[in-house]
Amino acid sequence: MRFVERDGEILRWINGFGFANADQIMCFMGVKKSSCYARLKKLIEGGYLEHEYVLHGLSGIYKLTQKGTIASGDHLRGSGEIRLGTFKHDLALVDLAVDLTDKTGGSFIPQRRIRHDEGLSGVGQIGHVADGYLYLPEQEKPIAVELELTVKARSRLNSIIMSILAQ
């Protein structure tokens, strides 16, 4: 397999979220399903990606191997084990990011990359970190994006918003 720059872009995008499913990767790549699956198959055969099923009834996910992380040139380490407690949220965040970037023409930086870039290794070091930042064309400051799948009290939501605004 010949590893090309586009492969590095795909791997860095997947690694930013930790994992993604084939439909999400297909949307990011902007190609037909057959082209996406052919490329994913080559990346797996080349040892850059691994495919696994996390929950019964859901599509499998793709995540980087150590070789894939190195080949991509990404400074963000691979996601390691998938956390079941946040899996549905993390998967939905990829869908939201794909939808936002498609509709706005912007770019999305997921929380994993934000934490890495700001040197934050643990939860609670500076308060709440947004699920991602949406950068719109010709706009200097990003929009903080929060994906809430559970009901939260108004006071908790206010504290999250205030924590993000304080950053």
Side-chain angles (χ1 to χ4, degrees):
M1 172 194 158
R2 200 179 96 199
F3 189 88
V4 296
E5 179 54 34
R6 180 68 171 146
D7 295 326
E9 291 171 22
I10 294 164
L11 294 177
R12 285 187 296 276
W13 182 81
I14 294 169
N15 200 35
F17 293 98
F19 59 86
N21 66 32
D23 288 337
Q24 295 164 332
I25 297 166
M26 180 183 65
C27 289
F28 170 74
M29 291 174 64
V31 298
K32 293 181 180 178
K33 191 173 273 198
S34 59
S35 298
C36 178
Y37 277 111
R39 198 71 208 157
L40 291 173
K41 181 179 179 193
K42 288 183 180 185
L43 289 169
I44 289 170
E45 289 170 352
Y48 302 103
L49 279 179
E50 58 186 13
H51 181 251
E52 69 180 71
Y53 291 93
V54 178
L55 292 176
H56 178 73
L58 292 180
S59 343
I61 53 103
Y62 296 84
K63 63 181 190 171
L64 275 66
T65 62
Q66 185 175 6
K67 180 180 178 180
T69 304
I70 293 166
S72 72
D74 200 345
H75 298 292
L76 180 62
R77 65 181 180 81
S79 63
E81 291 296 314
I82 302 299
R83 294 187 326 255
L84 289 178
T86 61
F87 177 71
K88 287 185 178 181
H89 173 275
D90 297 344
L91 191 61
L93 182 64
V94 183
D95 285 330
L96 177 61
V98 167
D99 194 42
L100 287 172
T101 57
D102 184 49
K103 289 181 177 169
T104 66
S107 62
F108 189 89
I109 309 299
Q111 184 185 70
R112 268 179 47 83
R113 198 162 298 285
I114 295 167
R115 286 189 165 283
H116 176 268
D117 292 349
E118 295 182 8
L120 305 171
S121 60
V123 175
Q125 288 187 351
I126 63 164
H128 188 86
V129 176
D131 287 329
Y133 293 151
L134 176 64
Y135 286 87
L136 298 176
E138 300 181 27
Q139 201 170 32
E140 190 176 316
K141 292 189 176 188
I143 298 169
V145 175
E146 276 297 315
L147 173 63
E148 295 298 338
L149 299 182
T150 59
V151 177
K152 290 187 174 46
R154 183 177 302 277
S155 61
R156 176 68 180 129
L157 290 173
N158 286 338
S159 98
I160 290 170
I161 291 168
M162 294 311 292
S163 178
I164 291 171
L165 290 175
Q167 295 176 23

